[in-house]
Amino acid sequence: GIQVEQSPPDLILQEGANSTLRCNFSDSVNNLQWFHQNPWGQLINLFYIPSGTKQNGRLSATTVATERYSLLYISSSQTTDSGVYFCAVERNNQGGKLIFGQGTELSVKP
Amino acid sequence: GAVVSQHPSWVICKSGTSVKIECRSLDFQATTMFWYRQFPKQSLMLMATSNEGSKATYEQGVEKDKFLINHASLTLSTLTVTSAHPEDSSFYICSANEQFFGPGTRLTVL
């Protein structure tokens, strides 16, 4: 099956710093999403981005489908950004089934 | 945005008992819902796809007789963990489409 690899696995930042999280995937995909899981377990969809670039406030994401990777940028990080960031992909014609990467655990220190 | 609820949010049960977890889409109808399981410090793994009006489809390695899924209406899917054992202790998360996830149910089997 398709492999989804995220890096780095862990990241510690000082408040105000910027960061880039990476997601590599091993096959063509129909859908790619970035999620943030807060300390209570709730998953929040950040971006639906099978290709191209999107921005939402301090967050932005870029997916280069031809090269099978996606990047999530966090600028001016805040302590509330802490949690686990997951990349998830859907292979073509899989009806919404998502394959998740192992996640990047981000800790932002005040 | 779309809201998905789960009940209960946490449950502790004795080994050998059965536990039912509900997943509801609150402001939209969902013909398909997905059930995921997440062990501590690990990623989400898809267990099964719940289809309204038909049988669920299970991922490889997931016992369909142990994890009973019923999609009773367009807004409700239930997952019943039958004869639960300590190794079934996990965080169970549903999604009513590929973008919106429930808050999860933490199951602890003693």
Side-chain angles (χ1 to χ4, degrees), chain A residues 4 18 21 25 44 52 59 79 84 86-87 95:
Chain A
V4 182
N18 303 328
L21 281 56
F25 44 98
I44 303 296
L59 303 181
T79 55
V84 183
F86 287 105
C87 164

Side-chain angles (χ1 to χ4, degrees), chain B residues 34-107:
Chain B
F34 301 93
W35 286 96
Y36 295 83
R37 179 167 54 182
Q38 184 181 30
F39 292 107
K41 298 293 186 180
Q42 294 189 24
S43 187
L44 281 77
M45 297 295 294
L46 179 65
M47 298 176 66
T49 303
S50 173
N51 305 297
E52 191 271 338
S54 64
K55 291 183 179 180
T57 54
Y58 291 81
E59 295 302 302
Q60 192 172 7
V62 178
E63 300 175 57
K64 63 179 182 180
D65 294 330
K66 181 169 182 62
F67 298 99
L68 301 180
I69 291 173
N70 182 270
H71 201 137
S73 73
L74 288 171
T75 59
L76 173 64
S77 174
T78 60
L79 168 68
T80 301
V81 183
T82 62
S83 186
H85 290 285
E87 58 266 30
D88 299 322
S89 298
S90 188
F91 192 53
Y92 292 86
I93 307 172
C94 72
S95 74
N97 60 31
E98 66 260 31
Q99 292 189 49
F100 302 107
F101 283 71
T105 296
R106 193 163 303 280
L107 170 64

